[in-house]
Amino acid sequence: MGEPMNLRRLRQSEIVRGLVSDVQVDAKKLMQPLFCVEALKEKQAIPGLTDVYRDTEETILRQIESDLEAGVKSFLLFGVPAHRSKQDFHSDFTARAISQIKKRFGADLLLAVDVCLCSYTEHGQCGVLNPEGDHVENATTVSELAKFAVSYAQAGADCVAPSDMMDGRVRAIRNGLAAARLEKTLLMSYAVKFHSSFYGPFRVAADSAPKGKVLLKDRATYQIDFRNSKDAVRSALRDQEEGADILMVKPGLPYLDVLSTLSRDIHLPWAVYEVSGEYAAIELLAREGLANGPRAHVESWTAFVRSGAQIVITYGARNAKEWLKNG
Ligand code: PBG
């Protein structure tokens, strides 16, 4: 019997711990979501998401200015139009917001824009419903999405990010961008997006919860079932094959295993979305005095990086510099 193995020697002080650590979260790897809401009088807080707002076309510019000062470089924009319909959607509002942001800040930031129809449809589904109202039509939806993505890119988006989960949308968007000679536009696919209970605060922010008198009540027929790990692999391979530049796993913490396996096997940059519900869960713990919020956030972000993410989309990006200061 030898001496007990001394593992505590390398844990003895913050300097030693910092020196021997092998995972580091870097603020420039974080992407900040933004919500721009048409016809809103003044910016509104979002339940559960501290320091995150539904912005007006004016307040969003001030918000970005202060985020840039805080060191944020990348943003993910969600446009929320005032008018909703069943079909014939118009991307004008979001395109206008994009061009205003790019006109003001140009190459100082990277602007990714979410591409989905859930804030545009009357029923809140991510695409066009069939006349019976029980099925999202794939082909019709994909052609709308491609049209939207091209109009966002033409307005100046550096990256388009389809989150709808229709089949074939990555290829359609890639082809649409090519036809419009938008060869620099990045395509970040929400390739591995699960049908999750953690999207609650977001659906309030983007007014995108499924609603109304239609038969289809949830997104289970297009988002990935969390009991199906093989579907996650197929979805990622498919979107790689269709021409995505960046792939994403969403949500984050409950799917670290998926992120870890896929990022080892598929050699594209991987993003992870720390979604609204998981972010809000930490905020609630902190509010109840049951956790140190900033430390818990940094712990989660570190888990994402350790599991293979190059990009972390988080509502806390604007606080990262501050929170990352202490180790
Ligand atoms: C839209 C979309 C959703 C999120 C991002 N894009 C919600 C959903 O699919 O219902 C969730 C983000 C979050 O919860 O922070 N399709």
Side-chain angles (χ1 to χ4, degrees):
M1 291 275 265
E3 289 297 304
M5 200 175 164
N6 190 328
L7 297 179
R8 292 187 53 200
R9 206 154 36 228
L10 292 173
R11 302 175 191 153
Q12 64 181 283
S13 70
E14 180 46 32
I15 296 183
V16 175
R17 289 191 296 272
L19 204 56
V20 300
S21 69
D22 56 78
V23 188
Q24 215 67 50
V25 177
D26 183 339
K28 70 169 179 283
K29 303 297 224 171
L30 307 184
M31 192 179 257
Q32 175 70 51
L34 298 166
F35 299 94
C36 189
V37 184
E38 188 175 20
L40 191 67
K41 296 244 158 38
E42 53 189 47
K43 73 172 187 178
Q44 293 173 338
I46 300 167
L49 300 181
T50 326
D51 294 337
V52 185
Y53 301 92
R54 287 159 52 86
D55 274 299
T56 73
E57 280 180 77
E58 287 78 40
T59 64
I60 200 161
L61 298 174
R62 258 173 278 149
Q63 178 66 61
I64 294 172
E65 203 165 81
S66 95
D67 290 344
L68 288 170
E69 277 164 27
V72 182
K73 298 249 175 269
S74 308
F75 298 85
L76 176 59
L77 176 71
F78 295 87
V80 186
H83 179 71
R84 310 178 72 114
S85 56
K86 286 198 180 63
Q87 55 208 15
D88 299 324
F89 310 101
H90 299 286
S91 58
D92 318 13
F93 168 69
T94 306
R96 187 168 72 232
I98 295 166
S99 59
Q100 280 167 2
I101 292 169
K102 286 305 281 188
K103 197 168 114 205
R104 174 83 166 267
F105 302 106
D108 290 348
L109 52 69
L110 176 128
L111 185 62
V113 182
D114 184 271
V115 179
C116 192
L117 297 177
C118 59
S119 298
Y120 291 77
T121 56
E122 281 173 9
H123 41 69
Q125 291 289 346
C126 298
V128 181
L129 286 185
N130 61 355
E132 296 77 28
D134 63 356
H135 175 66
V136 175
E137 292 182 349
N138 202 81
T140 342
T141 303
V142 167
S143 67
E144 288 293 322
L145 292 165
K147 197 178 78 187
F148 267 52
V150 170
S151 84
Y152 294 167
Q154 279 167 337
D158 302 293
C159 174
V160 289
S163 66
D164 54 284
M165 296 302 281
M166 298 300 118
D167 285 330
R169 90 276 209 213
V170 169
R171 177 161 294 144
I173 291 172
R174 180 52 86 207
N175 289 343
L177 293 172
R181 296 183 173 276
L182 292 157
E183 55 192 43
K184 269 176 69 188
T185 309
L186 292 162
L187 202 168
M188 174 167 71
S189 174
Y190 288 67
V192 186
K193 175 172 175 180
F194 288 93
H195 187 234
S196 168
S197 298
F198 289 94
Y199 303 148
F202 172 92
R203 289 183 183 176
V204 175
D207 191 13
S208 73
K211 55 183 152 280
K213 287 197 183 57
V214 292
L215 290 168
L216 201 60
K217 297 292 181 216
D218 61 28
R219 309 203 204 288
T221 60
Y222 42 100
Q223 299 180 341
I224 300 174
D225 187 320
F226 55 71
R227 297 164 298 183
N228 196 334
S229 60
K230 288 190 167 56
D231 191 352
V233 178
R234 283 200 304 272
S235 301
L237 289 170
R238 193 262 316 263
D239 285 4
Q240 176 186 36
E241 155 76 23
E242 289 190 13
D245 300 300
I246 302 169
L247 299 178
M248 188 198 299
V249 170
K250 173 188 172 191
L253 284 188
Y255 301 96
L256 286 183
D257 56 328
V258 174
L259 173 63
S260 165
T261 314
L262 286 177
S263 63
R264 209 172 306 145
D265 292 344
I266 299 182
H267 295 176
L268 282 178
W270 280 91
V272 63
Y273 200 141
E274 183 189 38
V275 299
S276 56
E278 51 182 315
Y279 191 85
I282 294 175
E283 291 297 289
L284 283 172
L285 279 176
R287 199 170 314 154
E288 293 294 314
L290 298 171
N292 175 321
R295 289 180 64 84
H297 283 300
V298 169
E299 185 177 338
S300 293
W301 297 342
T302 307
F304 299 139
V305 175
R306 198 175 57 235
S307 302
Q310 283 74 50
I311 303 169
V312 178
I313 303 165
T314 172
Y315 294 96
R318 59 177 54 118
N319 297 310
K321 252 200 167 151
E322 189 60 34
W323 295 350
L324 289 167
K325 256 188 204 155
N326 315 312

